Amino acid sequence: MAWEAVIGLEVHVQLNTKTKIFCSCRNEFGADPNTNVCPVCLGFPGVLPVFNEKVLESAVKVGLALNCHIASYSKFDRKNYFYPDLPKAYQISQYDMPIAEDGYIDIVLEDGVKRIGIKRVHMEEDAGKLIHGQGVSFVDYNRTGVPLLEIVSEPDMRSPEEAYAYLVSLKQIIRYLGVSDCDMEKGSLRCDANISVRKKGEDSFGTKTEIKNLNSFKGVRAALEYEIKRHISLIEAGEKVVQETRLWDASRQITQGMRSKEEAHDYRYFPDPDLLPLVVDKEYVERCRSSLPEMPSAREARLKSQYNITDYDAMVICQEKDWADYFEEAVKSVRNPKKCANLMITMLFEQLNERQVDIKDVNVPADYIGRLVDLWDEGKVNNVAAKQVLIEMLDTGKAPERIVEEKGLLQVSDESKLEEFAREAIEKNPKVVDDYRSGKRNAVMFLVGQVMKLSRGKANPQKVRELLVRLIETQ
Ligand code: ADP
Ligand code: MG
Ligand code: ZN
């Protein structure tokens, strides 16, 4: 019988609030070590934490976007353990009464949509960061007290691909909310993966292992693939899977067990006596709900029907909220929205990717893109010229009409001019014409190329082709 994997993910997301969760230190990435610290986040004796309400707002928004029930009463607990990156020797977290529970997200797979349960979302503070050198370790406390949300899924995923799709959706939703950039490279999204296997058709779960030290979505997928194989071969060899935490070694593409001593945790959770319980009333929740942006899947569906673009176009454009916003701005006055989607996906995104710039930082107003789309759609510029205009626009911020004029990019659609070029190409290439006549239909493409050259790239290749065929066949 076939094996089946059971996967549940624990994701930590750093919130991008201006200040930390329990003090007024700045929450910023990349500052000099130990510059954003104070007695509270350094855990000096006698100090008191003060809860940053912005963290609650972000947590409630995430909870709602993940279709969770928001707790009207929740609290903070201390999770006690000793480690050099944790100056208080306890982390303030939420244990048995998290801010949000029982939600789900719908992920899109090749064979349809699948619902993945969200067990809970809770708030906690981040620990510091250890930096290991040769025979020496440093600690940077800038990160202690940075607000985190921990989002725990139900064990509902059945393959590494599903886990990957879940992470992509989760990141997309959180980025739409604007509460975190979810950048795994910067550590603002971290993921631990729990995995077990069982025979297909079985109801109970097998023994799980937890994989840590994952630093990309692809790494999560690869680590799960590795771990599934490892579990299966252990069981098939008559051995048992040991419940443990394992570390992913990306350079060797394997998981390795941590020493089991580090596993024996007893965190002695208890309510933090320095913080009041959180009472969240309905009105507050509704205020948060009404401030949610249109979520990715809803927006995708709307763009598809409103602008009559394809599933694929809508999916790509809605990957990022900023892209969808830009598209809707650009498309406002455009006659052919399909072409606008086309230009954004095939030309603009390619350019942004090459230049490594974000759409927010682009110096081209969205309506310039719309105007370029119209020029293209009306046949005033061809594909090649449209791309040239786009590049020039990104370089200089000039308006599309001006670039077309300055660079003389107006498409030659003057029939007599085109015919002149076509006749010239035919006369100069009798052999190619013979090839075409003897059945090599593709030979005409060479002639199209010649005409494009003669028109200095400004002809419409489709028209040129039709014209050449007509001329050759009537000669
Ligand atoms: P623990 O108490 O060990 O932390 P939890 O119940 O809190 O376990 O679950 C932690 C994560 O592990 C969740 O994402 C959950 O979906 C997942 N999980 C729980 N049991 C299994 C299992 N048998 N196989 C795979 N994942 C599991
Ligand atoms: Mg747990
Ligand atoms: Zn501080």
Side-chain angles (χ1 to χ4, degrees), residues 123-259:
M123 299 175 280
E124 59 187 28
E125 56 179 347
D126 209 343
K129 197 171 171 182
L130 290 174
I131 299 144
H132 302 290
Q134 289 243 313
V136 56
S137 289
F138 302 95
V139 59
D140 177 5
Y141 290 116
N142 284 346
R143 212 177 66 178
T144 54
V146 165
L148 295 178
L149 292 184
E150 179 171 338
I151 300 159
V152 183
S153 85
E154 296 290 352
D156 287 349
M157 287 155 273
R158 294 291 173 268
S159 69
E161 286 68 38
E162 289 185 14
Y164 187 88
Y166 168 84
L167 287 170
V168 170
S169 292
L170 182 64
K171 174 173 175 173
Q172 187 189 28
I173 290 168
I174 294 172
R175 285 182 57 90
Y176 262 64
L177 296 174
V179 300
S180 172
D181 61 7
C182 296
D183 186 343
M184 249 184 146
E185 270 173 34
K186 290 196 292 185
S188 59
L189 185 150
R190 285 167 250 157
C191 172
D192 301 333
N194 297 272
I195 164 84
S196 63
V197 301
R198 64 180 175 189
K199 291 272 170 67
K200 262 210 171 105
E202 267 176 17
D203 291 329
S204 58
F205 291 149
T207 305
K208 71 171 162 114
T209 53
E210 182 177 7
I211 318 170
K212 288 186 183 282
N213 200 34
L214 298 164
N215 44 29
S216 69
F217 288 1
K218 290 204 171 93
V220 173
R221 189 165 59 190
L224 285 167
E225 270 158 16
Y226 175 89
E227 196 62 8
I228 290 167
K229 286 202 193 107
R230 197 183 65 86
H231 283 210
I232 293 172
S233 50
L234 275 174
I235 300 168
E236 284 183 341
E239 290 173 52
K240 279 204 173 112
V241 173
V242 181
Q243 177 159 351
E244 62 177 349
T245 300
R246 298 177 68 86
L247 296 182
W248 174 240
D249 182 337
S251 59
R252 294 164 68 198
Q253 298 276 299
I254 57 167
T255 64
Q256 280 182 307
M258 289 176 25
R259 269 170 301 129

Side-chain angles (χ1 to χ4, degrees), residues 20 22-26 36-42 141 144-145:
K20 294 186 180 182
F22 298 119
C23 63
S24 56
C25 288
R26 285 173 59 158
N36 289 329
V37 292
C38 74
V40 174
C41 54
L42 287 174
Y141 290 116
T144 54

Side-chain angles (χ1 to χ4, degrees), residues 95-128:
Y95 183 50
D96 54 343
M97 301 181 90
I99 185 67
E101 281 181 292
D102 292 332
Y104 62 85
I105 44 181
D106 289 330
I107 60 171
V108 181
L109 303 167
E110 261 171 29
D111 52 354
V113 171
K114 178 168 173 176
R115 183 157 289 187
I116 306 294
I118 304 287
K119 204 166 166 166
R120 56 186 280 156
V121 178
H122 73 248
M123 299 175 280
E124 59 187 28
E125 56 179 347
D126 209 343

Side-chain angles (χ1 to χ4, degrees), residues 326 348 352 355 357-369 390-400:
Y326 195 85
L348 180 60
L352 295 182
R355 293 158 190 249
V357 290
D358 240 41
I359 206 155
K360 306 199 280 306
D361 305 325
V362 153
N363 61 345
V364 176
D367 81 296
Y368 281 17
I369 295 287
L390 178 72
I391 290 172
E392 185 74 12
M393 257 177 7
L394 289 167
D395 287 343
T396 64
K398 285 184 190 167

